[in-house]
Amino acid sequence: MEKNKGFVIMAQGDDYVKCAKALEFSIKRAMPAANVTIVTTEMLPYGDQSPNTLWKLQNDWQVYEASPYEYTIKLEADMFIPRPIDYWFDSLKDRDIVICTRIKNFMQEDSNVTFYRKFIVENNLPNTYNGITYFKKSPMAQQFFEITKTIWENWESIRGTLQCNVNEPATTDWVYAIASHIMGVEKTTLPQFEPMSMIHMKKYINQTSSEDWTDIFTCEILPHTIRVNTIPQLYPFHYHVKHFANTILENVT
């Protein structure tokens, strides 16, 4: 892989650093020549600006400057990459920023479950998932992240103009959705690029009885794939249950 292309993982806090290391192992296993950068708290260009001691979402906007690459695929830490996705760089090279808008269940079926997306639905916002975001160093991508910074810094006043709980916390997905709306979905998303999807292992998406799917499904990490209940996972796998990183590290290191 060219040096100007790479994967960036934002990881602050022990759990996220462990997940990021597991994700890096999965990336390198699928794409041995891939460039991977894990951005920890001390690597943030503007330092830790989040008042939350555990959930450091407010630092996400710094990924633009933190990335050492001209072309970046940002991945959420609690993910597993089962097969090569480096061809995305060529597929998306003419775009400034593309945020994932497609999720699937472990059966590889597109999911339209909105249980976790009430904020998006009620405010008629783009259905963005920040967990996979492509961007290249460009004025437009820089503007996007500057907008997200502004939203984070002014969330309390912005929240008052939206349909939501009076105490609705800002999440990266919500902030990306608002920024995407401001800049235009045609500039920030590419729904027709189907490979840019992710398996989302949350309860209602997979119709499980618990959010901890690891107690319900059998998961096998094999040399060339990952299988859930014998079904090969063909897309980036967002496991979300942080302790699953231990299983990954035990099997790929």
Side-chain angles (χ1 to χ4, degrees), residues 203-231:
K203 173 180 176 180
Y204 291 100
I205 295 168
N206 295 281
Q207 299 181 14
T208 58
S209 58
S210 166
E211 286 289 1
D212 190 347
W213 60 271
T214 63
D215 289 336
I216 300 166
F217 296 143
T218 298
C219 186
E220 305 164 273
I221 300 175
L222 304 174
H224 300 292
T225 189
I226 182 171
R227 297 195 304 192
V228 176
N229 278 16
T230 75
I231 298 173

Side-chain angles (χ1 to χ4, degrees), residues 30-85:
M31 299 163 284
N35 303 308
V36 182
T37 297
I38 297 174
V39 178
T40 55
T41 302
E42 60 272 15
M43 295 167 63
L44 294 170
Y46 299 95
D48 183 5
Q49 298 195 6
S50 173
N52 193 312
T53 57
L54 297 176
W55 218 20
K56 299 291 187 177
L57 305 183
Q58 283 178 280
N59 291 317
D60 177 88
W61 62 270
Q62 299 191 52
V63 69
Y64 180 83
E65 289 191 38
S67 173
Y69 311 112
E70 183 178 355
Y71 303 91
T72 299
I73 293 175
K74 186 198 84 162
L75 298 170
E76 204 155 346
D78 49 348
M79 298 181 74
F80 181 97
I81 304 300
R83 63 177 186 172
I85 60 172

